Amino acid sequence: MTQHRKGLVLDFGGVLTTPLLPAALAFERRAGLAEGTLLTGLYLDPEAIRLTEELERGSLTQAQWNEAAAERLGIPPDNLMGRIFADLRPEPAMIAAAAAARRAGIKVGILSNSVGLAPWNLYDGYDVETRYDAVVLSGVHGTRKPEPEIFRILLAQLGLTAGECVFVDDTEQYLPPAAELGFATVHATDPAKTVAALEVLLDRSLTGQDLNEDPDRVTP
């Protein structure tokens, strides 16, 4: 028998937006960097990982991260985060599915490891405060995924338990800690597959669209 769940928790970047990796690769080409420079220089290096985690906790500003990352890459720091992810766009299928879930009575929250809000705001133009029932950004709360505390903060805002919710993230390593708390989990690798998995877990169609909800209207 399908369990009827009351909540849907969504990561933001890579779930409600287009994938992060193609955007990063496009930046490398624009900046004249060898393919893989960002991955090796920023996301595999222990010191760079520490800096990014500090950014996500809000103990480092985006401008400070830009300076440190630019020094490692040998490029200008001005709005570096925004330049790296300039090609991100809204993911219409997921935005429409979230809207359909809310119309069906499902509470929908965003749980995002944030990257600061200035000089570049990842969430700008997505109307997150009006389109979702709760928005928890790691930098605001000083805790980040996959730490249990940030999940608990989101659940408190939704007024639900983990067992009543589905959690969706494109970062696979965040799913087991969520599952340990009781969430059903979905690894977001393809929008159509993600929506199909959610329809099974939430036991309802998520492909219908309200005339007042136009996911293509949103621009980052």
Side-chain angles (χ1 to χ4, degrees):
M1 179 178 178
T2 303
Q3 178 178 345
H4 293 280
R5 294 180 172 87
K6 303 176 182 178
L8 173 59
V9 179
L10 301 169
D11 175 38
F12 188 82
V15 173
L16 292 172
T17 76
T18 50
L20 306 182
L21 181 58
L25 292 175
F27 167 75
E28 289 178 338
R29 291 191 291 271
R30 290 195 303 272
L33 299 173
E35 183 172 318
T37 298
L38 288 181
L39 180 64
T40 57
L42 299 182
Y43 298 106
L44 294 179
D45 179 83
E47 175 60 15
I49 292 171
R50 183 189 68 79
L51 290 171
T52 297
E53 289 184 358
E54 286 190 15
L55 172 66
E56 292 172 343
R57 293 182 194 281
S59 57
L60 192 75
T61 68
Q62 187 184 112
Q64 289 171 324
W65 185 92
N66 286 343
E67 291 283 348
E71 184 176 355
R72 289 175 171 274
L73 298 174
I75 58 177
D78 298 345
N79 190 30
L80 179 57
M81 184 72 74
R83 284 156 47 212
I84 290 173
F85 293 117
D87 285 356
L88 286 185
R89 295 293 182 268
E91 181 45 70
M94 288 302 302
I95 291 172
R102 287 191 81 198
R103 291 195 300 273
I106 299 291
K107 290 185 177 181
V108 182
I110 290 175
L111 184 60
S112 176
N113 277 356
S114 57
V115 293
L117 301 176
W120 178 67
N121 186 346
L122 169 63
Y123 314 97
D124 190 30
Y126 286 79
D127 298 334
V128 294
E129 300 297 338
T130 58
R131 285 173 171 259
Y132 305 97
D133 299 291
V135 179
V136 172
L137 307 183
S138 62
V140 174
H141 298 278
T143 180
R144 60 183 292 277
K145 293 178 293 186
E147 295 163 1
E149 181 59 22
I150 196 167
F151 290 98
R152 295 188 182 111
I153 291 169
L154 189 283
L155 290 170
Q157 291 193 15
L158 290 178
L160 298 172
T161 66
E164 295 175 306
C165 296
V166 180
F167 172 59
V168 181
D169 206 302
D170 64 322
T171 302
E172 191 171 13
Q173 70 193 57
Y174 297 158
L175 301 180
E180 288 179 9
L181 293 172
F183 286 91
T185 62
V186 175
H187 184 205
T189 58
D190 171 81
K193 292 178 180 178
T194 300
V195 172
L198 289 176
E199 289 182 327
V200 172
L201 289 167
L202 296 172
D203 193 26
R204 63 199 69 216
S205 172
L206 299 178
T207 54
Q209 183 174 324
D210 191 312
L211 292 178
N212 294 321
E213 292 284 354
D214 179 7
D216 292 321
R217 176 181 67 84
V218 199
T219 56

